[in-house]
Amino acid sequence: MTATILLTGGAGYIGSHTHVALVAAGYRPVILDDFSNAAGDVPERLARISGTEPRVWRGSVLDAALLDEIFAVERIDAVVHFAARKAVGESVRMPLEYVETNVVGLVTLLKAMRAAGVFRLVYSSSATVYGVPDRLPIPEDAATGFTNPYGYTKLAGEQLLEQLAASDPRWAFGVLRYFNPAGAHGSGLIGEDPRDVPNNLMPYIAKVAVGELPELRVFGDDYDTPDGTGVRDYIHVEDLAEGHVLSLAALMRDGRGHLVNLGTGCGFSVLQMLAAYSEACGRRLPHVVVPRRAGDIAACWADPSRAAELLGFRARRGIGEMCASSWAWVSRRQRN
Ligand code: UD1
């Protein structure tokens, strides 16, 4: 029988790509999204990609009555929980809102799941829980910490799930620590679509490429890295989406939880990413070096071996494909 999967935040960047991957793998995904950080036309774009009309509920994970209704009507078998706030700078200004959406939202969802007898959940965590990494590549048993309210909420969520799993053996959680998601779907129909000036590197470069921003501001070129700029582990969003399908399959198969990094195991610098994007869009994109951004670390990349071992996960797509798919998405979106 086809399993029905609730995707909270399923119209967002990673959620929408996971929707496509779940349909392809034979699941029946149901979206719950408040569209606070997703375009209203994502559902019809998903329909064009997958050839099937997505099930969409509009609302918040903080709405307990709505959650109860969704569980009753849709007969949900498991949940992938994306719905959260994710801007580091904003979290410093609005810690209460971050705790409310990311932690209270998780608690509200878990209570609705328990009431409905649903005990399997995939949780969107982040490499941000490693704080300043104590070694590279970063394995899952590295020290954890946080340097801002966003990181605090992600780590608090992980710890809550750990306590909950210990309290009742029916619970099984797939905790996925994302490194730096990048790129867009190969169709060019969905991708990252930030409302304001982006904080993150790839969407910022994309806006330079389409001419909405004049140049990339490189935050520091005096780090202890090969070219002096920050090094990160960029993972194609389609690989990331496939990681969710594998995590879900493992939870449904053996009912045991797991906590894994989702990254490639390779680091690339800001200047390398800019060069790769320039190649993808056929134009040398301008940049200027400015002082370091407060709170940034020099380098961060994953030890991806546990996800390979437990889930059979391997990122297959490189930075060339990330930049080409991002360019296809943003240049097409601008024309429409
Ligand atoms: C950031 C978040 C992290 C979150 C992740 C999600 C911070 C401090 N950290 O990570 O918590 O989980 O996004 O993807 O915001 N850069 C520039 N110019 C720019 C933007 C970025 O030079 O305009 C550089 C940064 O200094 C860094 C690299 O690009 O070296 C990547 O930055 P970003 O995309 O913001 O990701 P992280 O800082 O790794």
Side-chain angles (χ1 to χ4, degrees), residues 86 88 126-128 148 150 179-181 198-202 204 216-219 223 229-232 234 270 293-298:
K86 61 165 187 177
V88 172
S126 164
T128 195
N148 53 65
Y150 164 71
F179 279 67
N180 291 58
N199 300 304
N200 297 121
L201 180 66
M202 287 296 281
Y204 200 102
L216 174 67
R217 297 180 319 133
V218 175
F219 297 142
Y223 284 106
T229 66
V231 168
R232 297 290 185 275
Y234 297 92
V270 174
R293 179 171 67 179
D296 269 356
I297 53 176

Side-chain angles (χ1 to χ4, degrees), residues 184 188 192 203 205-207 209-210 212 277 325-335:
E192 193 169 14
I205 295 179
K207 286 208 186 270
V210 295
E212 281 179 39
Y277 212 109
S325 60
S326 165
W327 173 239
W329 152 244
V330 295
S331 51
R332 180 177 172 150
R333 187 154 183 83
Q334 214 193 24
R335 283 199 307 272

Side-chain angles (χ1 to χ4, degrees), residues 156-175:
E158 281 198 9
Q159 291 171 341
L160 169 62
L161 297 181
E162 194 185 335
Q163 301 299 312
L164 194 56
S167 77
D168 182 336
R170 288 176 299 175
W171 288 108
F173 302 115
V175 175

Side-chain angles (χ1 to χ4, degrees), residues 250-310:
L251 289 183
M252 312 276 274
R253 190 175 56 235
D254 52 39
R256 259 202 331 256
H258 48 263
L259 182 160
V260 298
N261 288 334
L262 291 184
T264 66
C266 301
F268 290 93
S269 74
V270 174
L271 293 179
Q272 283 177 310
M273 295 308 287
L274 187 66
Y277 212 109
S278 296
E279 192 160 317
C281 72
R283 180 167 73 91
R284 207 183 145 91
L285 298 173
H287 75 274
V288 58
V289 177
V290 299
R292 293 181 178 192
R293 179 171 67 179
D296 269 356
I297 53 176
C300 169
W301 66 89
D303 176 345
S305 53
R306 193 194 279 181
E309 221 169 277
L310 296 184

Side-chain angles (χ1 to χ4, degrees), residues 76-293:
I76 302 294
D77 295 296
V79 178
V80 185
H81 180 44
F82 298 103
R85 296 175 186 258
K86 61 165 187 177
V88 172
E90 185 185 65
S91 79
V92 176
R93 293 191 302 277
M94 302 165 54
L96 289 178
E97 283 73 14
Y98 270 69
V99 170
E100 182 174 46
T101 307
N102 295 7
V103 183
V104 180
L106 175 63
V107 171
T108 310
L109 175 64
L110 291 165
K111 285 169 90 174
M113 289 176 66
R114 185 177 60 188
V118 177
F119 292 98
R120 285 161 174 63
L121 174 132
V122 176
Y123 176 69
S124 299
S125 189
S126 164
T128 195
V129 302
Y130 294 117
V132 179
D134 58 5
R135 65 201 124 133
L136 290 170
I138 311 175
E140 289 82 353
D141 60 4
T144 54
F146 54 85
T147 50
N148 53 65
Y150 164 71
Y152 164 72
T153 64
K154 285 289 149 184
L155 191 56
E158 281 198 9
Q159 291 171 341
L160 169 62
L161 297 181
E162 194 185 335
Q163 301 299 312
L164 194 56
S167 77
D168 182 336
R170 288 176 299 175
W171 288 108
F173 302 115
V175 175
L176 308 182
R177 289 178 175 166
Y178 310 155
F179 279 67
N180 291 58
H185 191 258
S187 64
L189 286 168
I190 53 171
E192 193 169 14
D193 195 11
R195 295 251 157 109
D196 307 315
V197 174
N199 300 304
N200 297 121
L201 180 66
M202 287 296 281
Y204 200 102
I205 295 179
K207 286 208 186 270
V208 176
V210 295
E212 281 179 39
L213 291 169
E215 63 198 355
L216 174 67
R217 297 180 319 133
V218 175
F219 297 142
D221 66 352
D222 55 353
Y223 284 106
D224 185 15
T225 59
D227 66 16
T229 66
V231 168
R232 297 290 185 275
D233 184 337
Y234 297 92
I235 175 169
H236 196 298
V237 65
E238 286 198 67
D239 281 326
L240 200 56
E242 284 161 17
H244 291 75
V245 177
L246 291 170
S247 171
L248 201 53
L251 289 183
M252 312 276 274
R253 190 175 56 235
D254 52 39
R256 259 202 331 256
H258 48 263
L259 182 160
V260 298
N261 288 334
L262 291 184
T264 66
C266 301
F268 290 93
S269 74
V270 174
L271 293 179
Q272 283 177 310
M273 295 308 287
L274 187 66
Y277 212 109
S278 296
E279 192 160 317
C281 72
R283 180 167 73 91
R284 207 183 145 91
L285 298 173
H287 75 274
V288 58
V289 177
V290 299
R292 293 181 178 192
R293 179 171 67 179

